[in-house]
Amino acid sequence: MRYTYAIKEIKPKEGHDVYDIKDWEIVPETYQEIGEMSLHKLIKKLDSKKWFYISYVNKKSNYVDKIIFNGDYRCIL
């Protein structure tokens, strides 16, 4: 495997923007680490109706945090 992804399932709080880190509720006991060749292959394996927070180290050794929902992703700071 090329990358190891740390995955948590999240739920946005009602009436808040999901892309703001302070407005999440982490679903208990959903943390897992998955080895995969690419982010796009991992997205296809995840449930498209749930929100996921994914963090990993890319090939330039930078830490990357993303939110995944409905087969699409968005970087967060």
Side-chain angles (χ1 to χ4, degrees):
M1 298 296 120
R2 186 168 182 174
Y3 299 106
T4 301
Y5 299 94
I7 301 172
K8 297 178 198 172
E9 184 181 341
I10 59 173
K11 289 184 180 178
K13 292 181 182 175
E14 293 296 323
H16 293 280
D17 183 17
V18 73
Y19 298 109
D20 186 3
I21 297 171
K22 300 172 201 142
D23 296 333
W24 295 343
E25 293 177 9
I26 296 175
V27 177
E29 300 179 15
T30 58
Y31 177 82
Q32 58 182 324
E33 291 186 4
I34 296 178
E36 190 63 56
M37 289 298 291
S38 73
L39 180 64
H40 296 286
K41 288 182 181 180
L42 177 66
I43 291 172
K44 289 180 182 180
K45 291 181 180 180
L46 297 175
D47 186 2
S48 64
K49 299 194 188 312
K50 295 182 180 178
W51 291 88
F52 293 97
Y53 170 77
I54 295 181
S55 62
Y56 65 99
V57 178
N58 67 5
K59 62 184 175 184
K60 295 182 181 178
S61 299
N62 298 325
Y63 288 95
V64 180
D65 298 322
K66 296 186 179 191
I67 293 179
I68 310 277
F69 179 71
N70 205 13
D72 195 18
Y73 63 89
R74 182 170 177 181
C75 295
I76 58 171
L77 302 174

